[in-house]
Amino acid sequence: MKTKIIVIVGPTAVGKTALAIKVAKCFGGEVVSGDSQQVYRGLDIGTAKASPEEQAAVPHHLIDVREVTESYSAFDFVLEAKKAIEDIQSRGKLAIIAGGTGLYIQSLLEGYHLGGETPHEEILAYRASLEPYSDEELAHFVEQAGLEIPQFNRRRAMRALEIAHFGQDLENQETLYEPLIICLDDERSQLYERINRRVDLMFDAGLLSEAKWLFGNYPDVQAAKGIGYKELFPYFRGEQTLEEASESLKQATRRFAKRQLTWFRNRMQVTFYQIGEPGVQDRILRQIEEFLND
């Protein structure tokens, strides 16, 4: 029997953490971070981690599990998220995955085979090469390859082409989970306003000091390439004013939010909720209750 889990995704600054905590309190759950940057110790402000108070109110997993000098991948996330979910379930709690790293969450939910001889990075590169094609073009590739897909959709087409390309080494594992995937969204201007406000609050909270420490000690590590830090490095090198670096960070974050939404629309089967609509949280909670009781 598959494990029911709640998955909360969406663009940065849309309110995923707050909703995940509310869901956890309502249904006896614990939160598993689905964010590629929140794994790093010492990078708290720029990664928008749940506050110490929020983490004390509801148990959180996969936060602060790597040093900034270490790498982290979708492979690592899948292995560690599975362990966290098993631990949560063993204590009779509900696992709630919350984050905006679509690749990580999709890899966990769809049961990708992570063993064998094919490097995971090679698989991801092939997957990315299919992304620019339209649904009609993907359908043509599927037909050319002699593949049959019941109830054709983009996600299934891309997965079938991956398996055909890499052969038996990429056979699906049986997915372990029955997820309810909730994607939060907002009217574009409102979302961008939230992003700009969050960046301003990050500066007030000490983002500049956090980024300067990273720049001065570990400027070339994987963690330093995340949005929230690298945009400030030109300021530290004297190439931009602080105002210019701040605007660059806001712009990069807005573009990232747009890419996140594109991923969730095209690559995952989600239910969208507009956070600005009246009563939206109550509707989400009702849907979760129905899902868990079904």
Side-chain angles (χ1 to χ4, degrees):
M1 187 174 181
K2 295 182 179 181
T3 301
K4 288 189 175 184
I5 61 174
I6 306 301
V7 182
I8 300 172
V9 298
T12 185
V14 79
K16 297 183 294 294
T17 297
L19 177 61
I21 290 172
K22 182 163 187 173
V23 171
K25 289 180 176 179
C26 288
F27 297 99
E30 299 183 10
V31 177
V32 179
S33 171
D35 187 287
S36 63
Q37 291 295 104
Q38 293 184 358
V39 299
Y40 294 112
R41 301 183 188 100
L43 301 185
D44 303 328
I45 302 169
T47 63
K49 287 177 187 171
S51 68
E53 294 76 18
E54 289 171 326
Q55 293 189 47
V58 169
H60 282 64
H61 303 261
L62 301 194
I63 291 179
D64 294 335
V65 295
R66 289 291 190 282
E67 300 295 340
V68 295
T69 52
E70 296 179 286
S71 62
Y72 196 72
S73 68
F75 181 90
D76 298 318
F77 171 77
V78 170
L79 294 181
E80 295 176 21
K82 283 182 177 179
K83 291 179 181 178
I85 293 170
E86 288 173 4
D87 173 53
I88 293 167
Q89 184 189 29
S90 72
R91 290 180 281 103
K93 300 292 185 179
L94 173 67
I96 302 158
I97 316 297
T101 305
L103 171 62
Y104 285 17
I105 296 172
Q106 184 183 10
S107 296
L108 172 69
L109 298 182
E110 297 193 358
Y112 288 142
H113 180 68
L114 298 178
E117 298 178 357
T118 304
H120 197 54
E121 292 74 15
E122 190 176 329
I123 298 168
L124 300 181
Y126 178 75
R127 191 180 308 160
S129 74
L130 296 175
E131 186 64 39
Y133 293 106
S134 68
D135 290 359
E136 291 75 16
E137 289 170 322
L138 289 175
H140 179 63
F141 296 154
V142 167
E143 183 179 357
Q144 281 187 321
L147 304 174
E148 293 185 4
I149 302 177
Q151 296 180 325
F152 178 93
N153 64 37
R154 183 179 186 84
R155 181 175 56 86
R156 290 176 178 170
M158 294 177 71
R159 184 57 182 159
L161 290 168
E162 287 171 14
I163 294 173
H165 181 80
F166 290 102
Q168 295 300 312
D169 191 44
L170 198 61
E171 284 186 351
N172 272 342
Q173 290 179 336
E174 176 67 21
T175 179
L176 302 173
Y177 311 114
E178 181 184 349
L180 172 61
I181 310 176
I182 294 164
C183 186
L184 299 181
D185 195 5
D186 201 358
E187 193 275 323
R188 188 59 54 90
S189 64
Q190 292 297 316
L191 178 60
Y192 286 177
E193 183 179 332
R194 293 166 73 94
I195 288 170
N196 294 340
R197 185 166 61 248
R198 171 182 274 188
V199 171
D200 290 337
L201 291 173
M202 285 178 170
F203 275 103
D204 292 343
L207 174 61
L208 201 60
S209 296
E210 192 172 271
K212 189 171 184 179
W213 170 81
L214 188 61
F215 174 78
N217 294 279
Y218 309 105
D220 299 316
V221 298
Q222 178 181 329
K225 296 177 173 59
I227 293 175
Y229 300 103
K230 66 180 186 294
E231 292 80 12
L232 301 181
F233 288 5
Y235 167 68
F236 299 137
R237 292 193 293 263
E239 299 168 0
Q240 288 184 346
T241 66
L242 182 57
E243 183 178 357
E244 289 171 335
S246 174
E247 182 52 41
S248 177
L249 173 53
K250 290 176 180 178
Q251 184 180 63
T253 307
R254 293 193 298 266
R255 288 174 175 170
F256 176 57
K258 187 176 180 180
R259 293 196 302 272
Q260 288 175 301
L261 282 168
T262 298
W263 183 289
F264 297 130
R265 286 194 187 99
N266 294 340
R267 304 289 293 271
M268 297 175 65
Q269 294 178 323
V270 305
T271 301
F272 277 94
Y273 283 93
Q274 296 291 319
I275 61 169
E277 293 181 357
V280 66
Q281 283 202 357
D282 290 338
R283 294 204 307 275
I284 291 172
L285 294 177
R286 283 197 301 272
Q287 184 184 13
I288 292 173
E289 185 173 16
E290 292 171 0
F291 170 73
L292 294 176
N293 292 332
D294 184 10

Short mmCIF file of all heavy atoms in Angstrom, two decimals, residues 165-214:
data_model
loop_
_atom_site.label_atom_id
_atom_site.label_comp_id
_atom_site.label_asym_id
_atom_site.label_seq_id
_atom_site.Cartn_x
_atom_site.Cartn_y
_atom_site.Cartn_z
N HIS A 165 15.65 5.64 -24.48
CA HIS A 165 16.99 6.13 -24.80
C HIS A 165 18.06 5.39 -23.99
O HIS A 165 19.10 5.01 -24.52
CB HIS A 165 17.08 7.63 -24.53
CG HIS A 165 18.41 8.23 -24.84
ND1 HIS A 165 18.79 8.57 -26.12
CD2 HIS A 165 19.47 8.55 -24.04
CE1 HIS A 165 20.01 9.08 -26.11
NE2 HIS A 165 20.44 9.08 -24.86
N PHE A 166 17.80 5.19 -22.71
CA PHE A 166 18.82 4.62 -21.83
C PHE A 166 18.68 3.10 -21.66
O PHE A 166 19.56 2.46 -21.10
CB PHE A 166 18.79 5.30 -20.46
CG PHE A 166 19.29 6.71 -20.49
CD1 PHE A 166 18.40 7.77 -20.46
CD2 PHE A 166 20.64 6.98 -20.56
CE1 PHE A 166 18.85 9.08 -20.50
CE2 PHE A 166 21.11 8.29 -20.60
CZ PHE A 166 20.21 9.34 -20.56
N GLY A 167 17.56 2.53 -22.11
CA GLY A 167 17.41 1.09 -22.04
C GLY A 167 17.01 0.59 -20.68
O GLY A 167 16.49 1.33 -19.84
N GLN A 168 17.25 -0.68 -20.45
CA GLN A 168 16.79 -1.34 -19.23
C GLN A 168 17.41 -0.74 -17.97
O GLN A 168 16.89 -0.90 -16.88
CB GLN A 168 17.11 -2.83 -19.30
CG GLN A 168 16.36 -3.56 -20.40
CD GLN A 168 14.85 -3.45 -20.21
OE1 GLN A 168 14.33 -3.68 -19.13
NE2 GLN A 168 14.15 -3.10 -21.28
N ASP A 169 18.55 -0.05 -18.13
CA ASP A 169 19.21 0.52 -16.95
C ASP A 169 18.35 1.58 -16.28
O ASP A 169 18.60 1.97 -15.16
CB ASP A 169 20.55 1.13 -17.37
CG ASP A 169 21.42 1.50 -16.19
OD1 ASP A 169 21.51 0.69 -15.25
OD2 ASP A 169 22.00 2.59 -16.20
N LEU A 170 17.31 2.05 -16.98
CA LEU A 170 16.51 3.15 -16.46
C LEU A 170 15.08 2.73 -16.17
O LEU A 170 14.18 3.54 -16.10
CB LEU A 170 16.51 4.31 -17.46
CG LEU A 170 16.09 5.69 -16.93
CD1 LEU A 170 17.02 6.15 -15.84
CD2 LEU A 170 16.07 6.69 -18.06
N GLU A 171 14.85 1.47 -16.01
CA GLU A 171 13.49 1.03 -15.73
C GLU A 171 12.95 1.69 -14.46
O GLU A 171 13.67 1.88 -13.49
CB GLU A 171 13.43 -0.49 -15.57
CG GLU A 171 13.53 -1.24 -16.89
CD GLU A 171 13.33 -2.72 -16.70
OE1 GLU A 171 13.30 -3.15 -15.53
OE2 GLU A 171 13.23 -3.43 -17.71
N ASN A 172 11.68 2.01 -14.48
CA ASN A 172 11.04 2.64 -13.33
C ASN A 172 11.06 1.72 -12.11
O ASN A 172 10.82 0.53 -12.22
CB ASN A 172 9.58 2.97 -13.64
CG ASN A 172 9.42 4.31 -14.27
OD1 ASN A 172 10.30 5.14 -14.20
ND2 ASN A 172 8.28 4.51 -14.91
N GLN A 173 11.32 2.33 -10.97
CA GLN A 173 10.96 1.67 -9.73
C GLN A 173 9.46 1.91 -9.52
O GLN A 173 8.90 2.88 -10.03
CB GLN A 173 11.72 2.29 -8.55
CG GLN A 173 13.19 2.00 -8.51
CD GLN A 173 13.83 2.67 -7.31
OE1 GLN A 173 13.32 3.66 -6.81
NE2 GLN A 173 14.95 2.14 -6.88
N GLU A 174 8.83 1.04 -8.80
CA GLU A 174 7.45 1.31 -8.40
C GLU A 174 7.46 2.49 -7.44
O GLU A 174 8.18 2.48 -6.44
CB GLU A 174 6.85 0.08 -7.71
CG GLU A 174 5.45 0.30 -7.19
CD GLU A 174 4.44 0.51 -8.30
OE1 GLU A 174 4.70 0.10 -9.45
OE2 GLU A 174 3.39 1.10 -8.02
N THR A 175 6.72 3.54 -7.77
CA THR A 175 6.70 4.68 -6.88
C THR A 175 6.10 4.30 -5.53
O THR A 175 5.15 3.52 -5.45
CB THR A 175 5.92 5.85 -7.51
OG1 THR A 175 5.91 6.95 -6.60
CG2 THR A 175 4.49 5.45 -7.81
N LEU A 176 6.66 4.84 -4.49
CA LEU A 176 6.28 4.46 -3.13
C LEU A 176 5.12 5.27 -2.59
O LEU A 176 4.56 4.92 -1.55
CB LEU A 176 7.49 4.62 -2.20
CG LEU A 176 8.75 3.84 -2.55
CD1 LEU A 176 9.89 4.25 -1.63
CD2 LEU A 176 8.49 2.36 -2.46
N TYR A 177 4.77 6.35 -3.27
CA TYR A 177 3.90 7.33 -2.65
C TYR A 177 2.63 7.61 -3.47
O TYR A 177 2.62 7.52 -4.69
CB TYR A 177 4.66 8.65 -2.45
CG TYR A 177 5.99 8.44 -1.79
CD1 TYR A 177 7.17 8.69 -2.48
CD2 TYR A 177 6.07 7.95 -0.48
CE1 TYR A 177 8.40 8.47 -1.87
CE2 TYR A 177 7.29 7.72 0.12
CZ TYR A 177 8.45 7.98 -0.58
OH TYR A 177 9.66 7.75 0.01
N GLU A 178 1.59 7.98 -2.75
CA GLU A 178 0.38 8.53 -3.34
C GLU A 178 0.31 9.98 -2.90
O GLU A 178 -0.10 10.28 -1.77
CB GLU A 178 -0.86 7.76 -2.86
CG GLU A 178 -2.15 8.29 -3.47
CD GLU A 178 -3.38 7.60 -2.92
OE1 GLU A 178 -3.23 6.56 -2.23
OE2 GLU A 178 -4.50 8.10 -3.17
N PRO A 179 0.74 10.90 -3.75
CA PRO A 179 0.82 12.29 -3.32
C PRO A 179 -0.40 13.12 -3.68
O PRO A 179 -1.05 12.89 -4.71
CB PRO A 179 2.04 12.80 -4.08
CG PRO A 179 1.98 12.06 -5.38
CD PRO A 179 1.37 10.70 -5.07
N LEU A 180 -0.71 14.08 -2.85
CA LEU A 180 -1.61 15.16 -3.21
C LEU A 180 -0.71 16.38 -3.39
O LEU A 180 -0.10 16.85 -2.43
CB LEU A 180 -2.64 15.42 -2.11
CG LEU A 180 -3.52 16.66 -2.31
CD1 LEU A 180 -4.35 16.54 -3.58
CD2 LEU A 180 -4.41 16.91 -1.11
N ILE A 181 -0.62 16.87 -4.63
CA ILE A 181 0.32 17.95 -4.94
C ILE A 181 -0.44 19.26 -5.07
O ILE A 181 -1.25 19.44 -5.97
CB ILE A 181 1.10 17.65 -6.23
CG1 ILE A 181 1.69 16.24 -6.20
CG2 ILE A 181 2.22 18.69 -6.40
CD1 ILE A 181 2.40 15.85 -7.49
N ILE A 182 -0.15 20.16 -4.16
CA ILE A 182 -0.78 21.48 -4.12
C ILE A 182 0.25 22.51 -4.58
O ILE A 182 1.35 22.60 -4.02
CB ILE A 182 -1.25 21.80 -2.70
CG1 ILE A 182 -2.38 20.85 -2.30
CG2 ILE A 182 -1.68 23.26 -2.57
CD1 ILE A 182 -2.65 20.84 -0.82
N CYS A 183 -0.10 23.26 -5.61
CA CYS A 183 0.80 24.30 -6.11
C CYS A 183 0.19 25.68 -5.83
O CYS A 183 -0.89 26.00 -6.31
CB CYS A 183 1.04 24.14 -7.61
SG CYS A 183 2.28 25.29 -8.27
N LEU A 184 0.88 26.45 -5.04
CA LEU A 184 0.44 27.81 -4.73
C LEU A 184 0.89 28.76 -5.83
O LEU A 184 1.99 28.65 -6.37
CB LEU A 184 1.02 28.27 -3.39
CG LEU A 184 0.64 27.45 -2.16
CD1 LEU A 184 1.28 28.06 -0.92
CD2 LEU A 184 -0.86 27.35 -2.00
N ASP A 185 0.05 29.72 -6.15
CA ASP A 185 0.38 30.73 -7.15
C ASP A 185 -0.26 32.04 -6.72
O ASP A 185 -1.05 32.08 -5.76
CB ASP A 185 -0.12 30.29 -8.52
CG ASP A 185 0.50 31.10 -9.66
OD1 ASP A 185 1.39 31.92 -9.41
OD2 ASP A 185 0.07 30.90 -10.82
N ASP A 186 0.07 33.09 -7.42
CA ASP A 186 -0.53 34.39 -7.13
C ASP A 186 -0.54 35.19 -8.43
O ASP A 186 0.19 34.87 -9.38
CB ASP A 186 0.28 35.12 -6.06
CG ASP A 186 -0.52 36.21 -5.36
OD1 ASP A 186 -1.69 36.42 -5.74
OD2 ASP A 186 0.01 36.84 -4.43
N GLU A 187 -1.36 36.20 -8.46
CA GLU A 187 -1.36 37.10 -9.61
C GLU A 187 0.05 37.66 -9.78
O GLU A 187 0.73 37.97 -8.81
CB GLU A 187 -2.38 38.22 -9.36
CG GLU A 187 -2.72 39.05 -10.58
CD GLU A 187 -1.72 40.17 -10.81
OE1 GLU A 187 -1.27 40.74 -9.81
OE2 GLU A 187 -1.40 40.46 -11.97
N ARG A 188 0.52 37.74 -11.01
CA ARG A 188 1.93 38.00 -11.28
C ARG A 188 2.48 39.25 -10.58
O ARG A 188 3.54 39.21 -9.96
CB ARG A 188 2.16 38.11 -12.79
CG ARG A 188 3.62 38.19 -13.22
CD ARG A 188 4.43 36.98 -12.79
NE ARG A 188 3.85 35.74 -13.23
CZ ARG A 188 4.14 35.15 -14.39
NH1 ARG A 188 4.97 35.71 -15.24
NH2 ARG A 188 3.58 34.00 -14.70
N SER A 189 1.76 40.35 -10.67
CA SER A 189 2.25 41.58 -10.04
C SER A 189 2.33 41.42 -8.52
O SER A 189 3.25 41.94 -7.87
CB SER A 189 1.36 42.77 -10.41
OG SER A 189 0.05 42.60 -9.89
N GLN A 190 1.37 40.69 -7.94
CA GLN A 190 1.38 40.47 -6.50
C GLN A 190 2.56 39.57 -6.10
O GLN A 190 3.21 39.80 -5.08
CB GLN A 190 0.07 39.83 -6.06
CG GLN A 190 -1.14 40.74 -6.18
CD GLN A 190 -1.03 41.96 -5.28
OE1 GLN A 190 -0.64 41.87 -4.12
NE2 GLN A 190 -1.39 43.12 -5.82
N LEU A 191 2.81 38.55 -6.91
CA LEU A 191 3.94 37.67 -6.61
C LEU A 191 5.26 38.44 -6.67
O LEU A 191 6.11 38.29 -5.79
CB LEU A 191 3.97 36.51 -7.61
CG LEU A 191 5.14 35.53 -7.46
CD1 LEU A 191 5.12 34.87 -6.08
CD2 LEU A 191 5.10 34.49 -8.56
N TYR A 192 5.41 39.27 -7.69
CA TYR A 192 6.65 40.04 -7.81
C TYR A 192 6.80 41.03 -6.66
O TYR A 192 7.91 41.27 -6.18
CB TYR A 192 6.68 40.76 -9.15
CG TYR A 192 6.94 39.86 -10.34
CD1 TYR A 192 6.93 40.34 -11.64
CD2 TYR A 192 7.19 38.49 -10.15
CE1 TYR A 192 7.18 39.51 -12.73
CE2 TYR A 192 7.43 37.65 -11.23
CZ TYR A 192 7.43 38.16 -12.52
OH TYR A 192 7.66 37.34 -13.59
N GLU A 193 5.68 41.58 -6.22
CA GLU A 193 5.74 42.48 -5.07
C GLU A 193 6.17 41.72 -3.82
O GLU A 193 6.96 42.23 -3.01
CB GLU A 193 4.37 43.13 -4.85
CG GLU A 193 4.35 44.14 -3.71
CD GLU A 193 2.98 44.78 -3.52
OE1 GLU A 193 2.23 44.88 -4.51
OE2 GLU A 193 2.67 45.17 -2.37
N ARG A 194 5.67 40.50 -3.65
CA ARG A 194 6.08 39.68 -2.51
C ARG A 194 7.57 39.37 -2.56
O ARG A 194 8.26 39.38 -1.53
CB ARG A 194 5.28 38.37 -2.51
CG ARG A 194 3.79 38.53 -2.25
CD ARG A 194 3.05 37.25 -2.60
NE ARG A 194 3.31 36.20 -1.63
CZ ARG A 194 2.54 35.94 -0.58
NH1 ARG A 194 1.45 36.66 -0.38
NH2 ARG A 194 2.83 34.97 0.25
N ILE A 195 8.07 39.08 -3.76
CA ILE A 195 9.49 38.78 -3.92
C ILE A 195 10.34 39.99 -3.57
O ILE A 195 11.33 39.90 -2.83
CB ILE A 195 9.77 38.32 -5.36
CG1 ILE A 195 9.20 36.92 -5.58
CG2 ILE A 195 11.28 38.34 -5.66
CD1 ILE A 195 9.22 36.47 -7.03
N ASN A 196 9.97 41.15 -4.09
CA ASN A 196 10.74 42.36 -3.79
C ASN A 196 10.74 42.67 -2.30
O ASN A 196 11.77 43.05 -1.73
CB ASN A 196 10.16 43.54 -4.57
CG ASN A 196 10.34 43.40 -6.07
OD1 ASN A 196 11.19 42.63 -6.53
ND2 ASN A 196 9.55 44.13 -6.84
N ARG A 197 9.58 42.48 -1.67
CA ARG A 197 9.48 42.74 -0.24
C ARG A 197 10.32 41.75 0.55
O ARG A 197 10.98 42.11 1.53
CB ARG A 197 8.02 42.68 0.19
CG ARG A 197 7.80 43.07 1.67
CD ARG A 197 6.33 43.32 1.95
NE ARG A 197 5.51 42.14 1.72
CZ ARG A 197 4.62 42.04 0.74
NH1 ARG A 197 4.45 43.03 -0.12
NH2 ARG A 197 3.90 40.93 0.62
N ARG A 198 10.32 40.48 0.11
CA ARG A 198 11.12 39.48 0.82
C ARG A 198 12.61 39.83 0.74
O ARG A 198 13.33 39.70 1.73
CB ARG A 198 10.89 38.09 0.23
CG ARG A 198 11.86 37.06 0.80
CD ARG A 198 11.70 35.69 0.21
NE ARG A 198 10.68 34.93 0.91
CZ ARG A 198 10.45 33.65 0.71
NH1 ARG A 198 11.15 32.99 -0.20
NH2 ARG A 198 9.51 33.02 1.39
N VAL A 199 13.08 40.25 -0.42
CA VAL A 199 14.49 40.61 -0.56
C VAL A 199 14.83 41.77 0.38
O VAL A 199 15.86 41.76 1.05
CB VAL A 199 14.83 40.96 -2.02
CG1 VAL A 199 16.24 41.56 -2.12
CG2 VAL A 199 14.73 39.72 -2.90
N ASP A 200 13.97 42.76 0.46
CA ASP A 200 14.20 43.89 1.38
C ASP A 200 14.28 43.40 2.82
O ASP A 200 15.16 43.84 3.59
CB ASP A 200 13.09 44.93 1.23
CG ASP A 200 13.15 45.68 -0.08
OD1 ASP A 200 14.24 45.73 -0.69
OD2 ASP A 200 12.10 46.21 -0.52
N LEU A 201 13.39 42.48 3.18
CA LEU A 201 13.40 41.95 4.55
C LEU A 201 14.65 41.11 4.81
O LEU A 201 15.18 41.10 5.93
CB LEU A 201 12.14 41.12 4.79
CG LEU A 201 10.83 41.89 4.86
CD1 LEU A 201 9.64 40.93 4.93
CD2 LEU A 201 10.84 42.82 6.06
N MET A 202 15.14 40.42 3.79
CA MET A 202 16.38 39.66 3.92
C MET A 202 17.55 40.58 4.23
O MET A 202 18.40 40.27 5.08
CB MET A 202 16.66 38.86 2.65
CG MET A 202 15.80 37.62 2.47
SD MET A 202 16.17 36.79 0.91
CE MET A 202 15.27 35.25 1.13
N PHE A 203 17.61 41.71 3.55
CA PHE A 203 18.68 42.67 3.83
C PHE A 203 18.57 43.19 5.27
O PHE A 203 19.57 43.31 5.98
CB PHE A 203 18.63 43.84 2.84
CG PHE A 203 19.36 43.57 1.55
CD1 PHE A 203 18.66 43.25 0.40
CD2 PHE A 203 20.74 43.62 1.49
CE1 PHE A 203 19.33 42.99 -0.79
CE2 PHE A 203 21.43 43.37 0.31
CZ PHE A 203 20.72 43.05 -0.84
N ASP A 204 17.34 43.46 5.70
CA ASP A 204 17.14 43.93 7.07
C ASP A 204 17.57 42.88 8.09
O ASP A 204 18.04 43.21 9.18
CB ASP A 204 15.65 44.27 7.30
CG ASP A 204 15.20 45.48 6.51
OD1 ASP A 204 16.06 46.26 6.06
OD2 ASP A 204 13.97 45.65 6.34
N ALA A 205 17.44 41.59 7.72
CA ALA A 205 17.75 40.50 8.64
C ALA A 205 19.24 40.13 8.66
O ALA A 205 19.67 39.31 9.47
CB ALA A 205 16.93 39.27 8.29
N GLY A 206 20.02 40.73 7.73
CA GLY A 206 21.46 40.46 7.75
C GLY A 206 21.98 39.68 6.56
O GLY A 206 23.06 39.07 6.64
N LEU A 207 21.26 39.69 5.44
CA LEU A 207 21.69 38.95 4.26
C LEU A 207 23.08 39.37 3.80
O LEU A 207 23.89 38.52 3.40
CB LEU A 207 20.70 39.15 3.11
CG LEU A 207 21.10 38.54 1.76
CD1 LEU A 207 21.25 37.03 1.87
CD2 LEU A 207 20.09 38.91 0.68
N LEU A 208 23.38 40.66 3.87
CA LEU A 208 24.66 41.15 3.36
C LEU A 208 25.84 40.50 4.10
O LEU A 208 26.82 40.08 3.49
CB LEU A 208 24.73 42.66 3.48
CG LEU A 208 25.75 43.37 2.57
CD1 LEU A 208 25.45 43.10 1.11
CD2 LEU A 208 25.76 44.87 2.85
N SER A 209 25.72 40.38 5.40
CA SER A 209 26.78 39.76 6.19
C SER A 209 26.92 38.27 5.85
O SER A 209 28.04 37.75 5.75
CB SER A 209 26.51 39.93 7.69
OG SER A 209 26.53 41.29 8.05
N GLU A 210 25.79 37.61 5.69
CA GLU A 210 25.81 36.18 5.35
C GLU A 210 26.46 35.96 3.99
O GLU A 210 27.31 35.06 3.83
CB GLU A 210 24.37 35.66 5.33
CG GLU A 210 24.23 34.15 5.27
CD GLU A 210 22.78 33.72 5.45
OE1 GLU A 210 22.37 33.51 6.60
OE2 GLU A 210 22.06 33.62 4.43
N ALA A 211 26.09 36.79 3.01
CA ALA A 211 26.66 36.66 1.68
C ALA A 211 28.14 37.03 1.66
O ALA A 211 28.94 36.41 0.95
CB ALA A 211 25.88 37.54 0.69
N LYS A 212 28.53 38.03 2.45
CA LYS A 212 29.94 38.45 2.49
C LYS A 212 30.80 37.35 3.10
O LYS A 212 31.93 37.11 2.66
CB LYS A 212 30.08 39.74 3.30
CG LYS A 212 31.47 40.35 3.21
CD LYS A 212 31.51 41.72 3.84
CE LYS A 212 32.88 42.36 3.64
NZ LYS A 212 32.94 43.73 4.24
N TRP A 213 30.28 36.66 4.11
CA TRP A 213 31.01 35.52 4.70
C TRP A 213 31.23 34.44 3.65
O TRP A 213 32.32 33.88 3.53
CB TRP A 213 30.23 34.97 5.89
CG TRP A 213 30.78 33.67 6.40
CD1 TRP A 213 31.84 33.50 7.23
CD2 TRP A 213 30.30 32.36 6.07
NE1 TRP A 213 32.07 32.17 7.46
CE2 TRP A 213 31.14 31.44 6.77
CE3 TRP A 213 29.27 31.87 5.28
CZ2 TRP A 213 30.96 30.07 6.68
CZ3 TRP A 213 29.09 30.50 5.19
CH2 TRP A 213 29.93 29.61 5.89
N LEU A 214 30.19 34.13 2.87
CA LEU A 214 30.31 33.11 1.84
C LEU A 214 31.29 33.55 0.76
O LEU A 214 32.14 32.76 0.33
CB LEU A 214 28.93 32.85 1.22
CG LEU A 214 28.82 31.68 0.24
CD1 LEU A 214 29.17 30.36 0.92
CD2 LEU A 214 27.40 31.62 -0.35
#
